[in-house]
Amino acid sequence: MLLGTRKNYNIANALLKKGFEERQSSHQYLVLFIDGKKTSISTFVSHGKKEIGDGLMHKMAKQLSLSPKQFCELVDCTMSGQELRDFYLDEGIVRP
């Protein structure tokens, strides 16, 4: 599945709006928190590269335990933070 490209700051901002928090690293390291609790769901977003391409977005989707389609929905804001949370809980990827 071809995902096209997205700007790195658009990806980071979309994730931050959906419950991810930034941690210090050489890149933007984003970790998902649910109900104030840190989860094992995390990914990196590069500071330097302005456009994130197909290959890297596939890797990010895998890091987040999402399909490429779900990752695009998350980044393009057609999947809400609540829908993401429900997906992870329903699939048993994270526990409440």
Side-chain angles (χ1 to χ4, degrees):
M1 173 181 190
L2 292 176
L3 306 179
T5 62
R6 306 288 191 291
K7 301 228 181 264
N8 60 348
Y9 57 84
N10 287 342
I11 292 173
N13 286 339
L15 295 177
L16 290 169
K17 289 177 185 175
K18 309 271 171 61
F20 287 80
E21 293 184 16
E22 186 174 0
R23 296 292 180 242
Q24 293 302 321
S25 171
S26 59
H27 297 287
Q28 269 187 301
Y29 178 59
L30 302 175
V31 179
L32 180 65
F33 282 74
I34 294 179
D35 298 329
K37 295 178 188 173
K38 182 179 176 180
T39 70
S40 62
I41 305 296
S42 63
T43 192
F44 290 92
V45 179
S46 176
H47 285 293
K49 196 170 177 115
K50 299 297 179 198
E51 291 282 330
I52 306 255
D54 210 55
L56 189 52
M57 282 197 290
H58 272 88
K59 288 179 184 177
M60 293 173 77
K62 187 174 182 176
Q63 289 174 336
L64 299 177
S65 300
L66 298 172
S67 70
K69 181 178 185 269
Q70 289 170 314
F71 180 77
C72 286
E73 290 172 355
L74 182 65
V75 170
D76 296 338
C77 296
T78 57
M79 178 190 290
S80 70
Q82 184 64 46
E83 290 170 325
L84 179 67
R85 178 185 182 280
D86 291 345
F87 168 76
Y88 285 136
L89 292 171
D90 293 345
E91 294 296 316
I93 297 168
V94 297
R95 294 197 169 106

